Amino acid sequence: MSIPMDRKIALIGGGGVRAPLVIFGVDEATQALGAAEMVLYDPDQERLAVMVELGKAIVAKSGGSLRLHAATSAEQAIEGAHFVLNSIRVGGIAGRAADERAAIEQGYPGQETTGPAGVAMALRTVPAALEQARLVERLSPDAWLVNFTNPAGLITQAVTSHTRVKMVGICDTPTELFHNIAKALGEPLSDVQCDYVGLNHLGWVRGVRVRGQDVMDKLLGSDELLRQLYLAPLFDFNMIRSLRLIPTEYLFFYYERRRALHNQLQQGGSRGAEIQQLNQVLIDTLKSRLMADDGDGAVAAYAAYLNQRSGSYMKLEAEGGSAFDPDVSLQVDPFRTATGYHRIAIDVMSALTGAKPATIVVNTRNRGAIPDLPDDDIVETAAHISLNSIVPEPIAPLPDEVRGLVHAVKAYERAAIDAALANVRLTARKALLIHPAIGEWSPSEALLHNMFGAIDADGECLCHGPMHGHLHG
């Protein structure tokens, strides 16, 4: 099959700190993607300029051919694109830090995609994501919209329910767990099959086979193996054994809420606040090195940032640690790791071009894959991806141990989408009530007030306060 080599790829939210990783991935996969140019857009044009220049340094260092451009509008970036990647954060990282702080002050763990801060993120992001999806519908109706934007499952649900755009939601959390399982077992990933079920940031591995042989008992029976599945000590091993399910890391904010909150209070902050500090240092450093025409130095500083950020992941919530603790950084090449933000995107897009069909866990319409859920629900599940096609693989019903939680989170997602579209306080409070990591009515008023500012007595104006802002993360 011959793939055109003049395709344009757009990235909305190109001022975000993950953009250079995606640029590296696209440049490395230009043949499979048929990509000639990549156009980035962000309302923060100063940040965008820094990331485009860093991207050019990354392409040059790799000896690649990808052409990079900054767009002055989302329309300019989207028009004529074959793929549109969406990675936005309405309100910027400062908004995340403020939302997490508001959650902690009200007695809930502060985490950007779950609990109160996750609700706030959804309320802010749904309108912006829909607006951009409608631009794709109008300007590039044949394009695939590849959604990185969190909360990824909920955003994919909103867009697929309210537009006709071709969309897939992606997250590297499941594949990261699969790699950790294979590494713990001492087996190549290609020989390890993981039976995965759930929603975005709410998923479990319920079976593991090596070359067709069931090894779940071996894995569950060993503290040493289970210890290797997470970067930080998240779950009691007896809990995992009682469930006979291996949870992804975000279940920590459901199964260990008190511990997460205790460690955040003890440490005096949240992950978002630390990332805000890391990002500011990074941007200042990049500006300085790029202005000095030191592209290699800028790339090295960016790699060090990624290693510090990745190495400290979940340390604060699980242990009361910090991204600024000594020896926390990973010692790897973050561009060429086997997993990560950019790898899953490139694998999905390379499959959709027909160059490299594959079975990948993505966020897509259920279409009967999980018999417990409606066909139009967005689920996170293994799907066979080939030329312009995503077909989820049928799996067994949800385990009893998690069925109620999954249904509750889907009900919350529907309520949050309704609240974001209707812009009504009462509906937003209902979403907070339904969310199984919140589940209380009385605190919902104070939570909304703290995360969105003053709200008019008639219940309107959820868009006030920090709801609008920069789209990068």
Side-chain angles (χ1 to χ4, degrees):
M1 181 186 66
S2 176
I3 295 176
M5 292 304 299
D6 59 350
R7 288 173 174 162
K8 169 184 175 181
I9 295 177
L11 174 58
I12 308 301
V17 293
R18 302 284 194 177
L21 262 183
V22 180
I23 291 169
F24 172 84
V26 171
D27 178 62
E28 192 177 49
T30 52
Q31 292 293 321
L33 301 178
E37 65 172 339
M38 190 170 177
V39 181
L40 286 69
Y41 169 71
D42 197 286
D44 187 336
Q45 291 281 300
E46 184 179 353
R47 274 277 295 263
L48 178 63
V50 171
M51 294 305 161
V52 169
E53 287 307 306
L54 176 59
K56 289 179 178 178
I58 289 169
V59 171
K61 187 175 178 65
S62 300
S65 59
L66 185 69
R67 302 193 305 272
L68 292 178
H69 308 284
T72 56
S73 68
E75 290 88 344
Q76 183 185 4
I78 289 168
E79 188 167 15
H82 190 81
F83 289 104
V84 178
L85 308 177
N86 192 23
S87 181
I88 69 173
R89 185 187 294 281
V90 180
I93 193 66
R96 172 184 174 176
D99 287 343
E100 290 179 349
R101 183 170 61 250
I104 292 168
E105 288 172 352
Q106 289 296 318
Y108 298 93
Q111 206 284 322
E112 62 171 335
T113 64
T114 66
V119 178
M121 188 181 211
L123 295 175
R124 288 192 179 92
T125 309
V126 165
L130 284 172
E131 180 181 344
Q132 290 157 16
R134 288 174 180 136
L135 289 178
V136 176
E137 268 190 321
R138 179 166 60 88
L139 299 172
S140 293
D142 294 328
W144 276 94
L145 178 55
V146 182
N147 182 64
F148 285 110
T149 299
N150 277 320
L154 187 151
I155 296 302
T156 306
Q157 183 78 62
V159 171
T160 56
S161 297
H162 294 279
T163 76
R164 297 182 305 278
V165 72
K166 297 189 298 184
M167 186 180 196
V168 60
I170 60 175
C171 179
D172 60 354
T173 296
T175 54
E176 185 77 31
L177 182 56
F178 302 165
H179 276 267
N180 290 349
I181 288 171
K183 185 177 179 181
L185 292 169
E187 300 285 354
L189 182 64
S190 58
D191 288 346
V192 179
Q193 298 82 44
C194 294
D195 179 8
Y196 180 84
V197 64
L199 310 176
N200 181 243
H201 291 185
L202 195 87
W204 300 263
V205 169
R206 61 178 170 188
V208 180
R209 297 177 303 282
V210 175
R211 293 177 291 277
Q213 181 179 356
D214 189 332
V215 295
M216 192 68 169
D217 286 339
K218 174 182 178 181
L219 195 57
L220 294 177
S222 169
D223 287 2
E224 181 182 352
L225 294 178
L226 292 175
R227 193 173 291 115
Q228 298 177 59
L229 303 188
Y230 308 99
L231 192 62
L234 300 179
F235 304 109
D236 184 277
F237 298 151
N238 284 328
M239 185 206 78
I240 296 175
R241 291 178 184 123
S242 72
L243 291 173
R244 287 196 62 81
L245 298 165
I246 300 171
T248 51
E249 60 226 14
Y250 288 93
L251 268 299
F252 182 75
F253 297 99
Y254 294 86
Y255 294 153
E256 293 283 1
R257 290 198 295 273
R258 293 185 185 186
R259 179 152 68 101
L261 177 61
H262 171 79
N263 287 331
Q264 288 175 333
L265 290 170
Q266 186 177 55
Q267 205 270 351
S270 74
R271 175 72 168 171
E274 292 198 336
I275 296 298
Q276 186 178 10
Q277 295 179 59
L278 288 174
N279 284 4
Q280 189 56 59
V281 172
L282 172 69
I283 297 302
D284 291 344
T285 302
L286 292 178
K287 286 180 179 178
S288 174
R289 297 195 178 178
L290 290 169
M291 284 183 63
D293 201 25
D294 181 13
D296 286 351
V299 175
Y302 179 66
Y305 160 87
L306 291 175
N307 277 336
Q308 184 177 6
R309 179 168 174 159
S310 297
S312 59
Y313 185 62
M314 297 293 286
K315 297 285 190 181
L316 189 157
E317 298 88 348
E319 302 176 296
S322 169
F324 303 101
D325 290 342
D327 302 321
V328 74
S329 295
L330 301 178
Q331 302 299 315
V332 299
D333 181 347
F335 295 103
R336 291 184 167 80
T337 54
T339 62
Y341 188 82
H342 57 312
R343 291 295 176 203
I344 183 75
I346 301 308
D347 288 347
V348 168
M349 291 192 294
S350 297
L352 285 170
T353 65
K356 297 180 179 179
T359 298
I360 305 170
V361 172
V362 292
N363 289 268
T364 189
R365 281 193 177 96
N366 184 35
R367 295 166 61 185
I370 301 177
D372 311 68
L373 295 171
D375 285 353
D376 285 342
D377 272 3
I378 296 298
V379 297
E380 191 167 77
T381 192
H384 182 69
I385 306 177
S386 57
L387 180 62
N388 285 319
S389 172
I390 300 177
V391 181
E393 296 186 336
I395 59 174
L398 293 166
D400 285 347
E401 292 81 359
V402 302
R403 183 180 295 113
L405 182 55
V406 170
H407 279 277
V409 170
K410 287 309 297 186
Y412 148 69
E413 288 184 358
R414 296 184 193 100
I417 292 167
D418 288 346
L421 296 179
N423 206 28
V424 174
R425 175 177 60 185
L426 199 61
T427 313
R429 291 187 69 185
K430 182 177 78 169
L432 287 159
L433 175 68
I434 293 173
H435 197 307
I438 306 170
E440 296 179 278
W441 180 256
S442 296
S444 62
E445 182 74 19
L447 283 166
L448 286 177
H449 184 279
N450 291 348
M451 293 186 293
F452 290 97
I455 303 173
D456 292 347
D458 61 5
E460 303 298 323
C461 303
L462 274 181
C463 57
H464 286 183
M467 203 162 175
H468 296 297
H470 301 313
L471 299 187
H472 52 249

